[in-house]
Amino acid sequence: MKMLMGGNVRLMLTGSAPISGEVLDFLKICFCCPLAEGYGMTETSAGSVLVRIGDPKCGYVGGPVCNVKIRIKDIPEMNYYSTSTPPKGEVCFKGPSIMKAYYKNEEKTAEMLSEDGWLFSGDVGEVQPSGAIKIVDRAKNIFKLSQGEYIAPEKLENEYIKSEYIAQIWIHGDSLHDYIMMFVNLDQDKMKMWAKQNGVDCNATLCNSDALRKLIWNDVMKIAKENKFNSLEKPKQMMLLFDPWTTESDILTPTMKLKRNVAKTRYADDVTRMYEEGPLKFDAAK
C-alpha cells in the first residue's frame, strides 16, 4: 500500500472534519508514516491545534500550536464546566493568528469575539490529562424542548450514525414539543443486501417498510442505551429517506456539513405531520 503513493510519504495531516480512530490507525499502517490530526477554523488561520507527531493515540486533536492560547468557557445550560473532571467547555482561541474582526460586520464580530480578544469557536472541548483537546460536542446547535431541557443534536448524530443502516442523519426538535425526531438517509449497500434477503426491490419504497423501520429503530435505541442517553435524547419519531443529501441539493455545505436551516425549511411539512402523528407506536429495544 505504501508503494501506491510512491513509497516516499513521510508525514500525513488530516483536518477540516472529524475522522475516526479506526480510520487513522488503518492509514498509519497502510502508509507506514505518522498521521497527525489538526483542528482550527478559518477565523483562526486554519490549524491552531495539532496532535504531537508520532503520538500513537487517537481520538483527540492535540494541543495548541506555539502562537495560540486556548481556554475553556463554561456552558451551564449543557452542564459543561471548566471545573469538572475532566474540564469541559467551549473552546476559545487567542493569539496573533486569530482574526481581529469580520469585514464590515460589527454584529457578527461582537458575537464571535470577547472584548479582550478571545474567539468563541462554538465547539465543546474536553481537556485531556496531557493538555490535549478532544472535541466532544457543539455549543451553537443546541435547542430546548418544551420541558426546558437542552438537546445537543450533533452529539446524538455522531453516535446514532454509527448504526450500520444509516448513511446520514439529522436530529430535530424545538421548544414547542417534548421529544426529538430523526431524519435518516439509508446506507445504500446495506439496503441492497436487506432488499435481496427479503425478496423486495431496492428503491424508495423501502422507506415505507414496517420491518425495515423497526430494524433501524431498534438499532438506534440500542446505541442510545450503550451511550446511556436519557429519554429526551432518544428520538420518538423517524422518517427514512432513500436519496442521500448532497451539496448539489443545497442541503450540505462544501465541507459536507448539514445546513440545518435548509433542512428545517425543506422538511417543515414532514415535521408538522410527524408531531401530529405523535410518537411511534411499535415496540423498540429497551
Side-chain angles (χ1 to χ4, degrees):
M1 180 67 76
K2 181 179 181 180
M3 297 309 297
L4 291 177
M5 300 292 288
N8 295 315
V9 177
R10 295 184 292 116
L11 174 66
M12 298 177 71
L13 299 176
T14 178
S16 181
I19 185 170
S20 71
E22 291 84 358
V23 173
L24 285 172
D25 286 337
F26 176 78
L27 291 172
K28 289 177 183 177
I29 294 169
C30 284
F31 298 110
C32 302
C33 72
L35 197 164
E37 185 170 9
Y39 161 70
M41 308 162 59
T42 301
E43 291 86 347
T44 67
S45 303
S48 297
V49 174
L50 184 67
V51 170
R52 188 177 71 251
I53 303 300
D55 193 327
K57 296 183 178 179
C58 299
Y60 55 87
V61 292
V65 296
C66 61
N67 62 312
V68 173
K69 294 180 181 179
I70 284 182
R71 73 178 183 185
I72 299 296
K73 177 176 174 288
D74 291 346
I75 313 175
E77 63 269 25
M78 298 179 72
N79 202 32
Y80 290 136
Y81 295 95
S82 58
T83 53
S84 62
T85 305
K88 295 180 182 180
E90 183 175 5
V91 179
C92 303
F93 296 94
K94 189 176 184 180
S97 59
I98 308 304
M99 73 162 195
K100 300 299 182 183
Y102 286 110
Y103 183 63
K104 293 185 178 180
N105 195 333
E106 295 182 0
E107 182 179 350
K108 186 68 174 179
T109 299
E111 178 185 330
M112 289 291 291
L113 287 168
S114 67
E115 292 183 359
D116 54 350
W118 285 94
L119 175 74
F120 306 123
S121 70
D123 292 312
V124 178
E126 177 183 284
V127 182
Q128 306 299 294
S130 64
I133 299 292
K134 179 179 181 180
I135 304 300
V136 297
D137 205 348
R138 279 286 294 172
K140 293 191 173 182
N141 287 328
I142 63 173
F143 55 78
K144 186 187 294 186
L145 295 179
S146 60
Q147 301 94 326
E149 296 293 328
Y150 284 92
I151 298 294
E154 284 188 313
K155 179 186 76 171
L156 304 181
E157 291 163 354
N158 288 338
E159 295 302 326
Y160 290 144
I161 201 169
K162 294 177 181 179
S163 167
E164 60 182 315
Y165 307 106
I166 297 176
Q168 297 170 314
I169 184 171
W170 170 44
I171 297 292
H172 173 75
D174 59 52
S175 60
L176 299 178
H177 299 92
D178 60 1
Y179 62 85
I180 61 175
M181 59 179 60
M182 64 180 178
F183 289 75
V184 168
N185 267 311
L186 302 171
D187 182 278
Q188 295 294 310
D189 291 335
K190 277 293 179 181
M191 290 307 99
K192 290 177 183 177
M193 186 182 303
W194 188 88
K196 183 177 180 180
Q197 292 172 346
N198 289 269
V200 297
D201 294 330
C202 185
N203 53 41
T205 60
L206 289 181
C207 298
N208 300 319
S209 167
D210 289 338
L212 179 60
R213 287 169 60 82
K214 187 171 183 178
L215 177 66
I216 295 173
W217 181 264
N218 284 337
D219 199 44
V220 167
M221 291 302 109
K222 178 183 176 182
I223 292 172
K225 183 177 181 180
E226 291 171 349
N227 285 274
K228 298 181 180 180
F229 290 155
N230 63 47
S231 61
L232 298 180
E233 294 176 310
K234 299 175 183 177
K236 293 181 172 59
Q237 258 289 4
M238 172 179 68
M239 182 174 180
L240 301 185
L241 304 167
F242 193 76
D243 296 320
W245 295 319
T246 64
T247 55
E248 289 76 11
S249 61
D250 196 40
I251 202 166
L252 297 182
T253 69
T255 56
M256 307 306 289
K257 295 178 181 178
L258 179 69
K259 295 181 179 180
R260 295 177 186 274
N261 58 328
V262 174
K264 188 175 180 180
T265 299
R266 186 164 302 179
Y267 296 105
D269 292 341
D270 296 301
V271 168
T272 299
R273 171 183 57 78
M274 292 159 71
Y275 274 129
E276 289 176 348
E277 291 175 356
L280 291 175
K281 301 300 183 182
F282 53 72
D283 294 331
K286 302 297 184 183

